[in-house]
Amino acid sequence: MMEMLTKRIIPCLDVKDGRTVKGVNFVNLRDAGDPVELGRLYADQGADELTFLDITATVEKRKTLAELVKRISRDLNIPFTVGGGIRTVEDVKVLLDSGADKISINTEAVKEPQKVDAFAAEFGSQCVVCAVDVRHNGRYWEVFINGGRTPTGKEAVSWVKELESRGAGEILLTSMDHDGVKNGFALDITREISEAVSIPVIASGGAGTMDHFVDVFAEGKADAALAASIFHFREIEIPVLKDYLQKRGVSVRKAQ
């Protein structure tokens, strides 16, 4: 029998001015602690990977982000992805050299899709995560950029297929309507995208209960599930979640 690929649990830390913050539907941010400490805690608890998104990233703050990445990588024994304000091959190089395993781009990929090709060619597809923020506009699932503020007119499935063809190694799919509201992941679009591409799809936005994770793996066909507030505010502990998933037939790497 073929070994089932293990599903990954990925805490996400949104970083603003060096602190972890969490909002609802991309707004109303509140402090959730020190990203380095939280990262270490999640790694100890059995998280498979971590994602750090610098939500205020600007060119001037690039050095600050590289310093933070160095601090994180000193303490971490699991892969982590960094996103926010990445525009050039040099930006990617600085973050990977500082210890990040992968980088995540979103707005930049929409504005200049050839950058996906360039980053994949230079560093390998395995380093390139393309974040895709979507919202249903009444007709189709539309891609948004600039932290969810700007509609692009792009249809989500065709955009994700293009990203794969350009060399993206993973898709981080966030349903903006579900973000932070804890009513469950957007299963339909997650499944549609998971079935449309052969690269891993990380589902994000909406985790509130352990059953939501079961659903996104079983029905949504996601390869990984990302969540923030339920972990930051200790609503669900990762070892308990992994135990629960295993009991429901979801293959996960055992928590330490």
Side-chain angles (χ1 to χ4, degrees), residues 58-85:
T58 57
V59 180
E60 304 81 74
K61 290 196 181 156
R62 230 174 18 212
K63 282 195 179 65
T64 329
L65 184 57
E67 283 310 311
L68 179 63
V69 169
K70 278 186 186 139
R71 280 176 57 214
I72 291 163
S73 69
R74 274 202 294 268
D75 279 330
L76 268 197
N77 54 354
I78 56 172
F80 72 99
T81 301
V82 179

Side-chain angles (χ1 to χ4, degrees), residues 7-237:
K7 304 292 191 180
R8 290 170 290 149
I9 300 296
I10 307 176
C12 178
L13 296 94
D14 292 319
V15 179
K16 178 176 193 259
D17 304 325
R19 298 288 294 172
T20 310
V21 293
K22 186 57 201 145
V24 174
N25 299 121
F26 286 48
V27 291
N28 300 329
L29 303 176
R30 58 178 176 148
D31 189 89
D34 172 38
V36 179
E37 280 173 31
L38 273 175
R40 194 185 307 134
L41 170 74
Y42 294 144
D44 290 346
Q45 285 186 348
D48 298 293
E49 293 185 20
L50 292 171
T51 294
F52 295 86
L53 298 177
D54 186 346
I55 58 175
T56 49
T58 57
V59 180
E60 304 81 74
K61 290 196 181 156
R62 230 174 18 212
K63 282 195 179 65
T64 329
L65 184 57
E67 283 310 311
L68 179 63
V69 169
K70 278 186 186 139
R71 280 176 57 214
I72 291 163
S73 69
R74 274 202 294 268
D75 279 330
L76 268 197
N77 54 354
I78 56 172
F80 72 99
T81 301
V82 179
I86 296 167
R87 292 181 179 85
T88 64
V89 164
E90 183 55 32
D91 292 344
V92 179
K93 187 176 185 320
V94 166
L95 293 171
L96 295 177
D97 286 350
S98 300
D101 297 279
K102 312 176 198 180
I103 56 93
S104 168
I105 55 169
N106 181 342
T107 301
E108 210 57 27
V110 172
K111 286 184 174 166
E112 298 187 56
Q114 68 278 10
K115 286 189 178 175
V116 179
D117 309 63
F119 295 168
E122 182 77 24
F123 305 104
S125 288
Q126 78 287 347
C127 291
V128 183
V129 179
C130 285
V132 179
D133 295 338
V134 300
R135 170 173 275 159
H136 202 278
N137 64 13
R139 300 196 315 287
Y140 60 91
W141 286 92
E142 184 175 7
V143 176
F144 280 68
I145 55 171
N146 298 324
R149 292 186 297 278
T150 313
T152 65
K154 284 183 182 293
E155 188 275 322
V157 177
S158 57
W159 173 234
V160 166
K161 284 180 164 172
E162 179 180 337
L163 289 170
E164 178 180 37
S165 72
R166 287 179 177 276
E170 280 186 290
I171 299 297
L172 169 54
L173 177 71
T174 301
S175 164
M176 291 163 52
D177 296 319
H178 294 70
D179 176 68
V181 283
K182 302 182 191 170
N183 292 336
F185 294 92
L187 300 178
D188 297 354
I189 186 62
T190 303
R191 181 174 57 250
E192 213 179 316
I193 282 179
S194 296
E195 288 173 346
V197 294
S198 56
I199 54 176
V201 174
I202 305 163
S204 160
T209 69
M210 293 195 283
D211 280 324
H212 291 156
F213 286 89
V214 176
D215 294 342
V216 83
F217 291 135
E219 293 171 48
K221 306 274 196 286
D223 298 278
L226 177 143
S229 50
I230 55 163
F231 297 138
H232 303 339
F233 302 114
R234 311 283 188 278
E235 290 160 41
I236 295 178
E237 300 277 354

